Amino acid sequence: MIGAQYLIHVIALMTLLCSANASIFGVANARPKCFPSSSLISQLRGGDGDAPTSRPYLPYTLAIRDSIMIAHSFHNNPNFGPAGGLHGATYTVDVEFASKELHPECKWVIDIGAASEMVAEVLKQYNYQNLDDVFGDEVMTTTEFMCKAVFDGIVKKLKEKQMINEGDEKLFEGWIKVTLWESHKAWASFEGPAS
């Protein structure tokens, strides 16, 4: 109970400071920045300040699931322990396409057949491959790294197939999230805008 009361007092103090021209030291100053700017949040998350800081509210989602089997190593880097040497992995790959609204005529987020085909085309370049050969000896092909590689491939395919913009009508406008499942206990994701 004491913890909850303390938290209420801290929130009340922060609210008071944010609405007043004062600091906790009682010195009048310009209105304090109470919450970090989106640019600061982006930089803290490793972005450049221009990247989106969070997924916008997009209530419609279509997801495609596929899988790939790969081999790779972490070039005997001691930080990876026994996984530093050559080993295999089977990833379950989920690609989510999210949109604010449905296509006006077709009432879909994206054509499921086209989306399935694009995901398969992107994954084909990695399936049954040694990622050390695909990316070279300098690259640590972590699950996180591969999420971004698949994401970039999906965005490239959308542009190639002119699915992002065809004339004045956009066939897909929204957000993409790629998740690679190493197992039921471990996975990684990368997400961002499709354009």
PDB file of all heavy atoms in Angstrom, residues 9-29:
ATOM      1  N   HIS A   9       2.045   9.887  -5.470  1.00  0.00           N
ATOM      2  CA  HIS A   9       2.684  11.180  -5.170  1.00  0.00           C
ATOM      3  C   HIS A   9       3.691  11.565  -6.241  1.00  0.00           C
ATOM      4  O   HIS A   9       3.782  12.742  -6.623  1.00  0.00           O
ATOM      5  CB  HIS A   9       3.354  11.133  -3.792  1.00  0.00           C
ATOM      6  CG  HIS A   9       2.383  11.117  -2.657  1.00  0.00           C
ATOM      7  ND1 HIS A   9       1.554  12.171  -2.355  1.00  0.00           N
ATOM      8  CD2 HIS A   9       2.090  10.144  -1.762  1.00  0.00           C
ATOM      9  CE1 HIS A   9       0.799  11.865  -1.322  1.00  0.00           C
ATOM     10  NE2 HIS A   9       1.104  10.622  -0.936  1.00  0.00           N
ATOM     11  N   VAL A  10       4.457  10.612  -6.738  1.00  0.00           N
ATOM     12  CA  VAL A  10       5.433  10.900  -7.794  1.00  0.00           C
ATOM     13  C   VAL A  10       4.720  11.358  -9.062  1.00  0.00           C
ATOM     14  O   VAL A  10       5.116  12.343  -9.693  1.00  0.00           O
ATOM     15  CB  VAL A  10       6.325   9.665  -8.078  1.00  0.00           C
ATOM     16  CG1 VAL A  10       7.147   9.861  -9.345  1.00  0.00           C
ATOM     17  CG2 VAL A  10       7.231   9.393  -6.892  1.00  0.00           C
ATOM     18  N   ILE A  11       3.644  10.670  -9.433  1.00  0.00           N
ATOM     19  CA  ILE A  11       2.885  11.055 -10.624  1.00  0.00           C
ATOM     20  C   ILE A  11       2.288  12.445 -10.449  1.00  0.00           C
ATOM     21  O   ILE A  11       2.330  13.280 -11.355  1.00  0.00           O
ATOM     22  CB  ILE A  11       1.794  10.003 -10.936  1.00  0.00           C
ATOM     23  CG1 ILE A  11       2.453   8.695 -11.373  1.00  0.00           C
ATOM     24  CG2 ILE A  11       0.815  10.513 -11.999  1.00  0.00           C
ATOM     25  CD1 ILE A  11       1.505   7.527 -11.485  1.00  0.00           C
ATOM     26  N   ALA A  12       1.753  12.720  -9.263  1.00  0.00           N
ATOM     27  CA  ALA A  12       1.183  14.037  -9.000  1.00  0.00           C
ATOM     28  C   ALA A  12       2.249  15.122  -9.089  1.00  0.00           C
ATOM     29  O   ALA A  12       2.018  16.193  -9.670  1.00  0.00           O
ATOM     30  CB  ALA A  12       0.518  14.056  -7.630  1.00  0.00           C
ATOM     31  N   LEU A  13       3.439  14.873  -8.552  1.00  0.00           N
ATOM     32  CA  LEU A  13       4.529  15.841  -8.619  1.00  0.00           C
ATOM     33  C   LEU A  13       4.958  16.080 -10.060  1.00  0.00           C
ATOM     34  O   LEU A  13       5.138  17.220 -10.485  1.00  0.00           O
ATOM     35  CB  LEU A  13       5.726  15.355  -7.786  1.00  0.00           C
ATOM     36  CG  LEU A  13       6.970  16.242  -7.819  1.00  0.00           C
ATOM     37  CD1 LEU A  13       6.663  17.627  -7.256  1.00  0.00           C
ATOM     38  CD2 LEU A  13       8.101  15.603  -7.035  1.00  0.00           C
ATOM     39  N   MET A  14       5.096  15.013 -10.846  1.00  0.00           N
ATOM     40  CA  MET A  14       5.487  15.166 -12.250  1.00  0.00           C
ATOM     41  C   MET A  14       4.428  15.943 -13.024  1.00  0.00           C
ATOM     42  O   MET A  14       4.744  16.794 -13.851  1.00  0.00           O
ATOM     43  CB  MET A  14       5.712  13.799 -12.905  1.00  0.00           C
ATOM     44  CG  MET A  14       6.949  13.078 -12.411  1.00  0.00           C
ATOM     45  SD  MET A  14       8.473  14.013 -12.654  1.00  0.00           S
ATOM     46  CE  MET A  14       8.547  14.097 -14.422  1.00  0.00           C
ATOM     47  N   THR A  15       3.149  15.656 -12.761  1.00  0.00           N
ATOM     48  CA  THR A  15       2.075  16.384 -13.427  1.00  0.00           C
ATOM     49  C   THR A  15       2.134  17.857 -13.074  1.00  0.00           C
ATOM     50  O   THR A  15       2.002  18.731 -13.932  1.00  0.00           O
ATOM     51  CB  THR A  15       0.707  15.788 -13.029  1.00  0.00           C
ATOM     52  OG1 THR A  15       0.710  14.399 -13.353  1.00  0.00           O
ATOM     53  CG2 THR A  15      -0.428  16.494 -13.751  1.00  0.00           C
ATOM     54  N   LEU A  16       2.354  18.164 -11.804  1.00  0.00           N
ATOM     55  CA  LEU A  16       2.449  19.546 -11.355  1.00  0.00           C
ATOM     56  C   LEU A  16       3.630  20.247 -12.023  1.00  0.00           C
ATOM     57  O   LEU A  16       3.501  21.358 -12.531  1.00  0.00           O
ATOM     58  CB  LEU A  16       2.600  19.593  -9.824  1.00  0.00           C
ATOM     59  CG  LEU A  16       2.721  20.980  -9.198  1.00  0.00           C
ATOM     60  CD1 LEU A  16       1.437  21.767  -9.417  1.00  0.00           C
ATOM     61  CD2 LEU A  16       3.021  20.859  -7.718  1.00  0.00           C
ATOM     62  N   LEU A  17       4.778  19.589 -12.064  1.00  0.00           N
ATOM     63  CA  LEU A  17       5.958  20.189 -12.689  1.00  0.00           C
ATOM     64  C   LEU A  17       5.766  20.394 -14.185  1.00  0.00           C
ATOM     65  O   LEU A  17       6.234  21.379 -14.751  1.00  0.00           O
ATOM     66  CB  LEU A  17       7.193  19.328 -12.431  1.00  0.00           C
ATOM     67  CG  LEU A  17       7.724  19.338 -11.006  1.00  0.00           C
ATOM     68  CD1 LEU A  17       8.844  18.319 -10.872  1.00  0.00           C
ATOM     69  CD2 LEU A  17       8.209  20.711 -10.617  1.00  0.00           C
ATOM     70  N   CYS A  18       5.088  19.470 -14.807  1.00  0.00           N
ATOM     71  CA  CYS A  18       4.888  19.578 -16.248  1.00  0.00           C
ATOM     72  C   CYS A  18       3.924  20.706 -16.600  1.00  0.00           C
ATOM     73  O   CYS A  18       4.007  21.280 -17.675  1.00  0.00           O
ATOM     74  CB  CYS A  18       4.362  18.267 -16.817  1.00  0.00           C
ATOM     75  SG  CYS A  18       5.631  16.990 -16.874  1.00  0.00           S
ATOM     76  N   SER A  19       3.022  21.011 -15.711  1.00  0.00           N
ATOM     77  CA  SER A  19       2.047  22.052 -16.006  1.00  0.00           C
ATOM     78  C   SER A  19       2.481  23.419 -15.486  1.00  0.00           C
ATOM     79  O   SER A  19       1.863  24.421 -15.793  1.00  0.00           O
ATOM     80  CB  SER A  19       0.688  21.672 -15.411  1.00  0.00           C
ATOM     81  OG  SER A  19       0.799  21.581 -14.001  1.00  0.00           O
ATOM     82  N   ALA A  20       3.550  23.478 -14.715  1.00  0.00           N
ATOM     83  CA  ALA A  20       4.016  24.749 -14.150  1.00  0.00           C
ATOM     84  C   ALA A  20       5.337  25.153 -14.789  1.00  0.00           C
ATOM     85  O   ALA A  20       6.015  24.361 -15.414  1.00  0.00           O
ATOM     86  CB  ALA A  20       4.205  24.601 -12.639  1.00  0.00           C
ATOM     87  N   ASN A  21       5.698  26.396 -14.605  1.00  0.00           N
ATOM     88  CA  ASN A  21       6.992  26.885 -15.070  1.00  0.00           C
ATOM     89  C   ASN A  21       7.983  26.824 -13.920  1.00  0.00           C
ATOM     90  O   ASN A  21       8.520  27.841 -13.491  1.00  0.00           O
ATOM     91  CB  ASN A  21       6.882  28.320 -15.596  1.00  0.00           C
ATOM     92  CG  ASN A  21       6.221  28.376 -16.938  1.00  0.00           C
ATOM     93  OD1 ASN A  21       6.275  27.409 -17.674  1.00  0.00           O
ATOM     94  ND2 ASN A  21       5.593  29.491 -17.260  1.00  0.00           N
ATOM     95  N   ALA A  22       8.191  25.653 -13.395  1.00  0.00           N
ATOM     96  CA  ALA A  22       9.107  25.499 -12.264  1.00  0.00           C
ATOM     97  C   ALA A  22       9.827  24.175 -12.376  1.00  0.00           C
ATOM     98  O   ALA A  22       9.425  23.292 -13.115  1.00  0.00           O
ATOM     99  CB  ALA A  22       8.328  25.559 -10.951  1.00  0.00           C
ATOM    100  N   SER A  23      10.898  24.055 -11.639  1.00  0.00           N
ATOM    101  CA  SER A  23      11.620  22.798 -11.590  1.00  0.00           C
ATOM    102  C   SER A  23      11.478  22.228 -10.191  1.00  0.00           C
ATOM    103  O   SER A  23      10.926  22.867  -9.300  1.00  0.00           O
ATOM    104  CB  SER A  23      13.102  23.031 -11.915  1.00  0.00           C
ATOM    105  OG  SER A  23      13.726  23.704 -10.848  1.00  0.00           O
ATOM    106  N   ILE A  24      12.012  21.050  -9.964  1.00  0.00           N
ATOM    107  CA  ILE A  24      11.927  20.462  -8.626  1.00  0.00           C
ATOM    108  C   ILE A  24      12.745  21.264  -7.624  1.00  0.00           C
ATOM    109  O   ILE A  24      12.595  21.099  -6.429  1.00  0.00           O
ATOM    110  CB  ILE A  24      12.360  18.977  -8.623  1.00  0.00           C
ATOM    111  CG1 ILE A  24      13.779  18.817  -9.129  1.00  0.00           C
ATOM    112  CG2 ILE A  24      11.383  18.131  -9.385  1.00  0.00           C
ATOM    113  CD1 ILE A  24      14.311  17.412  -8.994  1.00  0.00           C
ATOM    114  N   PHE A  25      13.603  22.154  -8.138  1.00  0.00           N
ATOM    115  CA  PHE A  25      14.425  22.973  -7.253  1.00  0.00           C
ATOM    116  C   PHE A  25      13.759  24.307  -6.945  1.00  0.00           C
ATOM    117  O   PHE A  25      14.335  25.147  -6.274  1.00  0.00           O
ATOM    118  CB  PHE A  25      15.808  23.198  -7.881  1.00  0.00           C
ATOM    119  CG  PHE A  25      16.488  21.905  -8.215  1.00  0.00           C
ATOM    120  CD1 PHE A  25      16.622  21.502  -9.524  1.00  0.00           C
ATOM    121  CD2 PHE A  25      16.945  21.055  -7.213  1.00  0.00           C
ATOM    122  CE1 PHE A  25      17.220  20.296  -9.841  1.00  0.00           C
ATOM    123  CE2 PHE A  25      17.543  19.857  -7.525  1.00  0.00           C
ATOM    124  CZ  PHE A  25      17.682  19.470  -8.843  1.00  0.00           C
ATOM    125  N   GLY A  26      12.530  24.538  -7.450  1.00  0.00           N
ATOM    126  CA  GLY A  26      11.814  25.758  -7.156  1.00  0.00           C
ATOM    127  C   GLY A  26      12.226  26.946  -8.009  1.00  0.00           C
ATOM    128  O   GLY A  26      11.744  28.038  -7.810  1.00  0.00           O
ATOM    129  N   VAL A  27      13.110  26.746  -8.980  1.00  0.00           N
ATOM    130  CA  VAL A  27      13.569  27.848  -9.819  1.00  0.00           C
ATOM    131  C   VAL A  27      12.684  27.921 -11.047  1.00  0.00           C
ATOM    132  O   VAL A  27      12.480  26.934 -11.737  1.00  0.00           O
ATOM    133  CB  VAL A  27      15.043  27.621 -10.251  1.00  0.00           C
ATOM    134  CG1 VAL A  27      15.512  28.750 -11.147  1.00  0.00           C
ATOM    135  CG2 VAL A  27      15.918  27.483  -9.025  1.00  0.00           C
ATOM    136  N   ALA A  28      12.146  29.115 -11.305  1.00  0.00           N
ATOM    137  CA  ALA A  28      11.308  29.294 -12.487  1.00  0.00           C
ATOM    138  C   ALA A  28      12.164  29.111 -13.734  1.00  0.00           C
ATOM    139  O   ALA A  28      13.306  29.544 -13.787  1.00  0.00           O
ATOM    140  CB  ALA A  28      10.672  30.680 -12.477  1.00  0.00           C
ATOM    141  N   ASN A  29      11.627  28.450 -14.698  1.00  0.00           N
ATOM    142  CA  ASN A  29      12.329  28.260 -15.956  1.00  0.00           C
ATOM    143  C   ASN A  29      11.318  28.081 -17.073  1.00  0.00           C
ATOM    144  O   ASN A  29      10.120  28.125 -16.836  1.00  0.00           O
ATOM    145  CB  ASN A  29      13.283  27.064 -15.886  1.00  0.00           C
ATOM    146  CG  ASN A  29      12.575  25.756 -15.604  1.00  0.00           C
ATOM    147  OD1 ASN A  29      11.356  25.691 -15.519  1.00  0.00           O
ATOM    148  ND2 ASN A  29      13.339  24.698 -15.446  1.00  0.00           N
TER     149      ASN A  29
END
